[in-house]
Amino acid sequence: MSENGQDSKIIELPISITVRELAVVLEASPIDVIKNLMANGVMANINQEIDYDTAAIVSAEMGFEPIPEQVEEEKPEEIGEIPLWRQKLAEEDLEELAQRAPVITMLGHVDHGKTSLLDVIRHTSVASGEAGGITQHIGAYQTVHDGRAITFLDTPGHAAFTAMRARGAQGADIVILVVAADAGVMPQTKEAISHARAAQVPMIVALNKIDKDNAVPEQVKQQLAEEGLVPDDWDGDTIVVPLSATEKEGIEDILEAILLVADDMDILANPQGEVFGTVIEAKVSKRQGVMATLLVQNGTLKKGDTVLANLSYGRIKAMFDFRGQSIEEAGPSVPVSVMGLNEVPKAGDAFEVVENDKEARRIVEERELAAERKVAEEKGTLTLEQLFARVQTGEVQELRLVIKADVQGSLEPIVASLENLKSDGEQEIGVKIIHTGIGRVTENDIMLALTSGAIVIGFNIGPDNIAKRMAETEGISIRKYKIIYHLIEDIQKALRGMLEPVKKKILIGRAEVLAVFPSGKYDQVAGCRIQKGEVRRNAQIRVMRDETMVYEGDISSLKHHKEDVTEVRTGFECGIGLRDFSDFEVGDNLESFVIEEVTEF
Ligand code: GDP
């Protein structure tokens, strides 16, 4: 009960909240909140964070009953799909499984030092006794620390990583999140965090550029904590290793950290089992033909094996390690460059070893047919309605969203309102915000949506050209909104399965009026020729005169040579009568259209 004796509404408040966010929760203007704070002796501006106790006092005075927010435990196992190779591994005989080298990928904001760090680690392994100069860049390499091998994917940036995830074959066991100590958490850092979380891969933070005068490691740790990566020296679970790639400082520490995290995981494979893995990169060269770098994830790949990666296949004629040395076989976690495939496979494709070329060809033909069928079936995009259907069948337990907005100021209330929906209690299913960001919808957002089964929302902002094309080809729906209320309302409807279909007019034909005849007492019919498509008896007609529509409605009669017909096609003549219209003029265009109900926007 509030002070005024009326029933008060229970609201959940987090441990800290900005004045703006609080105003949204209280459905009040920020000015009123600020006034109330002032009355309680707290001077705060709209963007200021206030603690739970302060927010609670203000909320109570404004007629609400505040309770501490129930922090939902992160349930990463619900996000994303389990990569195919992991599913396959689960079928392996437990007894046969053996430790393999952890596979590491580096993600982070551009210029924070991913390439530098990968290079320095690569060279450290040379300095520590590996023979020969390393000149090959095959997309992955191995190093040895404390006598244990570690595999690095050295195509930095998350393009490769997400491409791999998108095909369900993502191969990294651990992500190194590279964050420059002088720049801190940036937009791509946040994206990288979302990617790693969605892929359920643990992160170690490499706090790079610690040598710089303007490095502010403690501030960056604070930012990391705000992203849910609480550093271990702050009693959190995230190992944060301060280092400098250029000064070669802290390199041992990061390798140490990798082994430490790996020890807590089951990084296993069966070297004797079925051979499969992931394509890391591939190219075609004049001299060698198709060269593909493969990461073996189970079994032992041998020279002479027939490899099949999606639609590309062939017998391995030659096989090299990352130093460019010819090798005969490669076990789990070993990256190899192979020669002999007939086509260039895509990075991220899963590969397997099959009996022989004939078997490979048979599977490829099957896959090509299946792909054609799929294209025919799936012409639509993943709409909110379809998502809801999947929720109902239990395929997904939540509506997943990737949200982009023009400015931070609009993003905050959207997120706050959507999270309110989640805690509303009425719905059995919730909203899961996979990623938020400022700026246009990018390729990366589409990737993220694709891999997480999410839809993309653009608030006051649309996709860039690449993202738009990709959304079309991958069938990802981008919904644009200008009004927060509309957005929230749609999501709410989707959660309740009440999203109303929209009626879409589909043009099926066009006819030109050649003559106008009297028919019956008052009516006139139009004598027409069909110029395009067809006119159907049960379709509707739009009468167009000089580009303007003069009438739209049902057909009352459709005749061909005085015979009633159900449809008339291109090139034929017919008489068309409309239910409530007869003022045809010679030269009018009659457009025939059907109405379809669709639930996408
Ligand atoms: P990437 O875009 O994340 O791969 O970043 P790069 O490795 O290309 O590094 C971007 C820039 O930062 C380059 O000019 C590097 O020389 C510089 N850089 C990388 N690591 C360090 C570091 O530890 N200290 C300093 N001072 N500069 C670094």
Side-chain angles (χ1 to χ4, degrees):
M1 291 283 206
S2 67
E3 282 173 6
N4 58 17
Q6 287 170 348
D7 279 347
S8 48
K9 191 174 158 197
I10 296 176
I11 50 162
E12 289 190 358
L13 293 177
I15 40 174
S16 118
I17 187 168
T18 66
V19 171
R20 188 196 302 275
E21 288 162 347
L22 182 61
V24 171
V25 177
L26 300 178
E27 292 160 10
S29 93
I31 303 293
D32 287 343
V33 175
I34 291 171
K35 277 190 194 155
N36 208 306
L37 280 165
M38 278 166 70
N40 282 288
V42 179
M43 296 301 189
N45 67 38
I46 189 160
N47 292 318
Q48 200 153 326
E49 294 264 345
I50 53 174
D51 62 17
Y52 173 84
D53 290 339
T54 313
I57 291 170
V58 173
S59 309
E61 287 191 356
M62 294 179 76
F64 290 83
E65 192 181 328
I67 55 167
E69 184 179 69
Q70 301 294 315
V71 179
E72 248 186 58
E73 282 228 353
E74 273 282 321
K75 287 189 223 142
E77 69 275 11
E78 283 185 11
I79 312 171
E81 315 228 310
I82 299 170
L84 194 66
W85 64 272
R86 282 199 197 279
Q87 293 172 29
K88 278 180 145 186
L89 255 187
E91 291 164 15
E92 286 287 342
D93 194 345
L94 269 182
E95 310 249 298
E96 307 265 308
L97 294 181
Q99 289 273 356
R100 60 176 173 80
V103 177
I104 315 297
T105 189
M106 298 223 183
L107 302 183
H109 198 76
V110 64
D111 278 350
H112 281 203
K114 297 177 291 292
T115 318
S116 308
L117 194 52
L118 280 164
D119 282 350
V120 83
I121 294 172
R122 178 201 298 270
H123 290 113
T124 317
S125 79
V126 180
S128 67
E130 299 263 349
I134 298 169
T135 49
Q136 311 293 315
H137 273 265
I138 64 166
Y141 67 86
Q142 278 199 316
T143 187
V144 176
H145 184 72
D146 276 354
R148 291 165 65 183
I150 305 172
T151 303
F152 284 89
L153 302 181
D154 76 348
T155 34
H158 41 243
F161 181 72
T162 45
M164 284 167 77
R165 273 194 63 215
R167 292 184 196 93
Q170 174 262 316
D173 299 302
I174 299 169
V175 161
I176 305 275
L177 183 71
V178 182
V179 187
D182 62 337
V185 170
M186 303 289 273
Q188 288 166 14
T189 320
K190 290 186 186 174
E191 285 178 8
I193 295 171
S194 302
H195 278 305
R197 287 214 172 112
Q200 307 168 37
V201 178
M203 282 171 268
I204 297 173
V205 176
L207 195 50
N208 192 28
K209 306 199 188 183
I210 208 80
D211 58 291
K212 289 187 110 176
D213 290 342
N214 56 347
V216 281
E218 291 307 304
Q219 250 166 276
V220 181
K221 283 185 190 170
Q222 174 65 40
Q223 293 176 332
L224 288 165
E226 281 163 19
E227 297 300 321
L229 297 176
V230 183
D232 48 351
D233 57 351
W234 292 11
D235 280 343
D237 294 331
T238 307
I239 302 186
V240 177
V241 182
L243 49 81
S244 162
T246 44
E247 302 294 315
K248 300 191 175 55
E249 265 172 42
I251 308 304
E252 297 274 305
D253 298 340
I254 193 99
L255 297 175
E256 206 69 55
I258 291 170
L259 294 180
L260 205 67
V261 171
D263 282 339
D264 267 350
M265 302 167 66
D266 287 329
I267 300 184
L268 305 168
N270 177 4
Q272 267 72 52
E274 195 192 331
V275 190
F276 55 77
T278 301
V279 177
I280 303 297
E281 63 176 41
K283 58 176 195 257
V284 59
S285 83
K286 272 203 188 110
R287 217 156 38 88
Q288 295 160 306
V290 175
M291 291 295 294
T293 298
L294 309 179
L295 174 68
V296 179
Q297 285 165 311
N298 198 57
T300 300
L301 184 68
K302 301 191 178 74
K303 201 164 129 182
D305 280 348
T306 299
V307 166
L308 169 65
N310 194 18
L311 304 180
S312 152
Y313 65 91
R315 263 190 83 206
I316 301 181
K317 285 192 232 147
M319 190 153 94
F320 307 94
D321 67 7
F322 67 94
R323 299 179 200 86
Q325 280 161 1
S326 175
I327 52 172
E328 295 296 313
E329 54 176 52
S333 289
V334 177
V336 283
S337 167
V338 303
M339 230 167 88
L341 294 183
N342 64 341
E343 268 180 43
V344 184
K346 284 206 212 74
D349 279 348
F351 79 84
E352 63 193 311
V353 165
V354 295
E355 192 73 31
N356 50 31
D357 265 21
K358 195 171 153 217
E359 174 68 357
R361 240 189 334 267
R362 189 189 62 76
I363 301 174
V364 165
E365 273 166 24
E366 240 171 45
R367 284 181 184 168
E368 281 170 341
L369 270 179
E372 275 170 36
R373 269 198 304 276
K374 196 160 169 239
V375 169
E377 280 165 18
E378 280 189 11
K379 48 186 198 317
T381 55
L382 186 61
T383 63
L384 261 185
E385 187 70 10
Q386 287 167 340
L387 259 183
F388 180 75
R390 292 188 189 182
V391 167
Q392 284 204 316
T393 56
E395 251 180 274
V396 291
Q397 284 78 41
E398 57 203 2
L399 284 183
R400 295 172 188 163
L401 305 174
V402 170
I403 307 170
K404 294 301 281 277
D406 53 344
V407 289
Q408 189 69 28
S410 26
L411 196 55
E412 280 164 7
I414 292 172
V415 171
S417 314
L418 287 176
E419 279 175 352
N420 265 2
L421 280 187
K422 191 162 58 176
S423 55
D424 177 326
E426 277 178 41
Q427 286 95 23
E428 287 174 8
I429 50 168
V431 174
K432 177 100 202 172
I433 301 171
I434 301 283
H435 179 66
T436 59
I438 306 302
R440 304 188 82 164
V441 175
T442 63
E443 191 181 11
N444 189 60
D445 299 319
I446 306 294
M447 255 321 177
L448 205 46
L450 181 64
T451 53
S452 321
I455 59 166
V456 180
I457 288 179
F459 188 78
N460 267 331
I461 202 130
D464 62 29
N465 284 338
I466 301 174
K468 195 169 166 197
R469 261 204 308 279
M470 185 168 172
E472 281 164 7
T473 49
E474 298 289 356
I476 293 295
S477 149
I478 303 177
R479 297 168 69 95
K480 277 185 266 176
Y481 292 92
K482 283 197 158 59
I483 295 168
I484 297 185
Y485 173 71
H486 290 163
L487 189 171
I488 304 300
E489 202 179 45
D490 271 5
I491 300 296
Q492 213 156 20
K493 283 183 187 162
L495 285 176
R496 296 180 183 149
M498 291 185 344
L499 204 65
E500 282 168 21
V502 180
K503 290 187 173 146
K504 240 187 185 174
K505 292 175 181 170
I506 318 269
L507 186 69
I508 56 167
R510 182 176 287 119
E512 192 190 352
V513 178
L514 304 176
V516 183
F517 305 103
S519 154
K521 236 185 201 169
Y522 312 102
D523 291 348
Q524 299 194 95
V525 296
C528 305
R529 175 177 293 126
I530 315 292
Q531 294 168 309
K532 207 174 186 187
E534 61 185 28
V535 170
R536 281 186 221 151
R537 172 70 178 77
N538 60 2
Q540 296 207 304
I541 291 287
R542 212 163 13 201
V543 182
M544 302 295 293
R545 188 169 300 157
D546 301 329
E547 311 277 306
T548 32
M549 188 182 79
V550 291
Y551 176 77
E552 184 178 308
D554 294 335
I555 292 182
S556 59
S557 77
L558 179 66
K559 290 187 195 255
H560 177 63
H561 294 317
K562 310 221 160 137
E563 295 270 321
D564 281 314
V565 289
T566 53
E567 59 183 43
V568 188
R569 290 173 184 277
T570 319
F572 290 96
E573 293 186 358
C574 62
I576 299 176
L578 298 184
R579 186 153 296 152
D580 299 307
F581 179 88
S582 62
D583 297 330
F584 298 106
E585 283 182 14
V586 171
D588 283 351
N589 272 307
L590 305 189
E591 293 179 350
S592 165
F593 61 90
V594 289
I595 292 173
E596 271 182 17
E597 288 198 339
V598 286
T599 43
E600 58 184 286
F601 291 73

